[in-house]
Amino acid sequence: MAGALPWLKPGLLLGSLAPLAIIVWRASMGTLAANPIAEALNQFGLLALIFLVASLSPTPLKLWFGLKWPLRVRRMLGLLSFFYASLHLLTYALLDLGGEWRTFLEDLGKRPFVTVGFLAWLMLLPLAITSTNASVKRLGFTSWKLLHRLAYVAAGLGVIHFVWRVKKDASEPVMYGLALAVLLAVRAWDWHQTRQRKKLGA
């Protein structure tokens, strides 16, 4: 199994960077949108949420269908989510606000969707930093696993950020919220089943 699917990670990496290349190319050609900064901001945020929800799906896919190969790219999916979330944040702070950090700090206090989005990014930061095998050994698997459950909280905040940002038509963020709820339900069911088996074994 170790040598199976050698194209998986390189293919995922190339495919995940394609949207970025398209956004940059269209922006350079002046065909991105009437407001290219807003369009890039929205696209980066959406990609961050997509990759974050995708990073939470490998374990449920294994529990549901016995698929093990998605586990091999779970960490990469999480890092890609952090990458696009950082681009989303930088686009907002440096391009949309023109690098006015005072305005950014004011927005954090006055605009709830900005606050929630920034909190989601802050939760992804320690997950990205501790994504290495060395971090697992240093923290211990149990503590590392507990820390990385913040991904669910970050995803929930990401959905709220999306809902509050679009304001009117919330159908798309609700779709991601439902997907997250299903993934959480599968994990909760597995946790309950595991507890029941331990009780019976005791």
Side-chain angles (χ1 to χ4, degrees), residues 123-168:
M123 289 187 178
L124 291 177
L125 179 60
L127 306 188
I129 293 173
T130 60
S131 64
T132 62
N133 291 331
S135 295
V136 178
K137 293 180 180 179
R138 185 172 64 253
L139 294 173
F141 180 72
T142 301
S143 298
W144 182 88
K145 188 176 181 180
L146 184 62
L147 173 66
H148 279 250
R149 285 177 181 167
L150 282 175
Y152 285 97
V153 182
L157 291 175
V159 170
I160 294 171
H161 172 71
F162 196 178
V163 170
W164 286 352
R165 179 170 173 78
V166 298
K167 296 179 182 178
K168 294 182 180 180

Side-chain angles (χ1 to χ4, degrees), residues 53-75 77 141 144-145 149 152 182-184 186-191 194:
V53 173
S55 73
L56 299 174
S57 66
T59 297
L61 287 174
K62 179 185 176 184
L63 294 171
W64 270 343
F65 307 111
L67 296 175
K68 295 181 179 180
W69 66 262
L71 294 170
R72 299 175 61 183
V73 295
R74 176 171 53 188
R75 192 176 301 184
L77 289 168
F141 180 72
W144 182 88
K145 188 176 181 180
R149 285 177 181 167
Y152 285 97
V182 170
L183 295 175
L184 279 168
V186 173
R187 295 301 298 267
W189 173 81
D190 180 62
W191 176 77
T194 301

Side-chain angles (χ1 to χ4, degrees), residues 72-84:
R72 299 175 61 183
V73 295
R74 176 171 53 188
R75 192 176 301 184
M76 180 179 287
L77 289 168
L79 288 172
L80 287 167
S81 174
F82 177 72
F83 172 70
Y84 277 110

